[in-house]
Amino acid sequence: MIVLNKEQRKIIYFAVAAAVFLFLFWQFVYSPQIRRFALIKNQLKDADSQILEIKGILQGKDVGEALNGMGAQLNKIESQLLNKEEIVINNLSETAKNLNIEIKNLSSSSRRPIETPVSGYDIEELPITFNLAGEFIAINRYLDILRNNPVFLVRIRELKIQGAGEGQICLEAVLQISVYLFKKVP
């Protein structure tokens, strides 16, 4: 058995004390600070990405100009949202009639609220199915009008076109769309 003298024991005690001190320092000071630093670094990255997103929205404009532009866009979108099912169906029917498209059948399902909330509005989706008959060019123009409709928002869900036979210019189509209706929440 090895016998240690007084100075060797002091060295061992100091080494153990230093190791314990380093372990406790690492555990209670250094590691929490590293985690906190990483959290601050992530928050800084998030803030930088938000700043870049805001700069992208501003597109080099002054904040006031950008807000006015966004307000105009909001007003345009708001004007495209209706709240009367009859007005929508009448508008769709009149547009088809003006293009010499015969609506053989028109059916609408019940309104259903959209999943994504929009502050200040209750927005509902109104599915509508048409059976149309008309020339290819007229049906194409009708679809273009629906896609770029300045009156209300329309989403074309499905379109099935079938010809009446060789040499016939009249086509039959089944068109499924969704129209978005809104009510301002008081």
Side-chain angles (χ1 to χ4, degrees), residues 3-13:
V3 178
L4 301 174
N5 64 20
K6 196 175 187 180
E7 292 201 15
Q8 289 174 334
R9 275 189 253 151
K10 278 185 184 179
I11 292 172
I12 291 174
Y13 291 143

Side-chain angles (χ1 to χ4, degrees), residues 15 23 34 48 58 64 74 105 110 116 182:
F23 175 75
I34 288 293
D48 282 342
L58 292 177
L74 179 63
N105 185 13
S110 61
T116 309
F182 83 102

Side-chain angles (χ1 to χ4, degrees), residues 85 107-113 124-128 178-179 181:
E85 186 174 331
S107 63
S108 64
S109 301
S110 61
R111 296 179 184 189
R112 56 181 177 241
E124 297 175 322
E125 179 181 16
L126 174 66
I128 301 174
S178 290
V179 178
L181 309 170

Side-chain angles (χ1 to χ4, degrees), residues 19 23 25 31 37 48 53-54 58 64 67 78 88 96 111 127 136-138 177 182:
F23 175 75
F25 178 78
S31 291
F37 177 71
D48 282 342
E53 185 178 330
I54 290 170
L58 292 177
L67 288 176
E78 185 177 292
V88 171
R111 296 179 184 189
F136 173 77
I137 293 172
I177 64 171
F182 83 102

